[in-house]
């Protein structure tokens, strides 16, 4: 599948989200970080903002839920207008049922892994998901440095997916920039989230193009 770039609006101006979305017309997704100040030590936005943003842009929304009790909340984000919903496996009691509920509402379902969470225990349930999000930082804040210790997990996840012949995307999130994207693409990532690298730049769309061509070259 083609590589995809998902700018994270965590680094955008929250008072001008529609304009910020319009500044990256060449992006494949808009990545929306939902934080509840329990699963991570930060608080961002929730369903009403997702609902408003879905009406204000035609980009599909890739909602990354860093929240407790995703079983209770995740499927509702599909009704709010998210096209892809990612919940953390560490917080979820019934990941298979939650993924099925999300898919039944017509959205893509993804599981996210914190840096210290291994992929191997979840091998048998990979087919229940459309995407695996491998965090390359500790979730909670943008602007951190990519943790190189997370890169081998991208490769192992790709090997497991290939072994089972699964068309499941691998997304990486955290510290993605022109300096770090190539090693992640080379390891097998498909979808690249970038917050500060995109929205702190003078020309966000230029960064999106640049990240895409670096990743494509690294993968080739
Ligand atoms: C952090 C979020 C990321 C964040 C990445 O927990 O999940 O999506 O926006 O920001 P950068 O790209 O600045 O590391
Ligand atoms: Zn995120």
């Amino acid at each position: 599948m083609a590589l995809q770039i998902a700018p994270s609006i965590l680094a955008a101006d929250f008072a001008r989200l529609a304009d910020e979305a319009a500044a990256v017309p060449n992006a494949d997704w808009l990545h929306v970080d939902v934080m509840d100040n329990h699963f991570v030590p930060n608080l961002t936005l929730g369903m009403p903002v997702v609902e408003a943003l879905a009406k204000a842009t035609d980009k599909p929304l890739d909602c990354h839920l860093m929240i407790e009790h995703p079983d209770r909340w995740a499927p509702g984000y599909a009704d709010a207008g998210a096209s892809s919903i990612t919940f953390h496996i560490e917080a979820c009691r019934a990941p298979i049922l939650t993924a099925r509920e999300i898919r039944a509402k017509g959205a893509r379902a993804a599981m996210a892994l914190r840096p210290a969470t291994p992929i191997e225990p979840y091998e048998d349930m990979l087919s229940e998901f459309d995407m695996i999000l491998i965090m390359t930082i500790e979730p909670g804040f943008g602007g951190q440095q990519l943790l190189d210790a997370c890169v081998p997990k991208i490769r192992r996840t790709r090997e497991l997916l290939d072994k089972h012949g699964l068309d499941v995307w691998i997304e990486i999130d955290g510290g993605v920039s022109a300096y770090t994207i190539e090693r992640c693409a080379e390891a097998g990532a498909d979808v690249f989230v970038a917050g500060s690298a995109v929205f702190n730049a003078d020309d966000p769309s230029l960064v999106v193009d640049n990240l895409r061509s670096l990743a494509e070259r690294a993968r080739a």
Side-chain angles (χ1 to χ4, degrees), residues 78-156:
D79 301 321
S83 300
S84 176
I85 299 160
T86 302
F87 57 83
H88 272 267
I89 199 75
E90 303 89 354
C92 197
R93 282 179 178 256
I96 294 176
L97 295 183
T98 303
R100 287 183 182 180
E101 263 191 80
I102 292 169
R103 285 173 140 184
K105 288 176 179 286
R108 297 174 62 87
M111 73 157 103
L113 309 177
R114 297 182 75 128
T117 306
I119 185 66
E120 285 77 10
Y122 307 106
E123 177 174 353
D124 291 343
M125 61 175 81
L126 293 175
S127 64
E128 299 285 342
F129 293 88
D130 297 293
M131 184 170 81
I132 310 299
L133 168 50
I134 297 176
M135 291 300 303
T136 40
I137 53 167
E138 282 299 345
F141 297 91
Q144 303 179 63
Q145 266 196 348
L146 180 135
L147 299 170
D148 273 302
C150 300
V151 176
K153 187 162 51 181
I154 303 172
R155 203 178 302 279
R156 289 200 305 276

Side-chain angles (χ1 to χ4, degrees), residues 181-193:
I181 195 166
E182 290 165 293
R183 62 189 92 143
C184 301
E186 197 262 318
D190 304 296
V191 187
F192 301 84
V193 177

Side-chain angles (χ1 to χ4, degrees), residues 8 10 31 33 35 64 66 135 137 139-144 173-176 193-196:
S8 167
L10 185 62
H31 183 83
D33 289 305
M35 305 186 191
H64 175 196
M66 286 157 275
M135 291 300 303
I137 53 167
F141 297 91
Q144 303 179 63
D173 183 6
V176 174
V193 177
S196 46

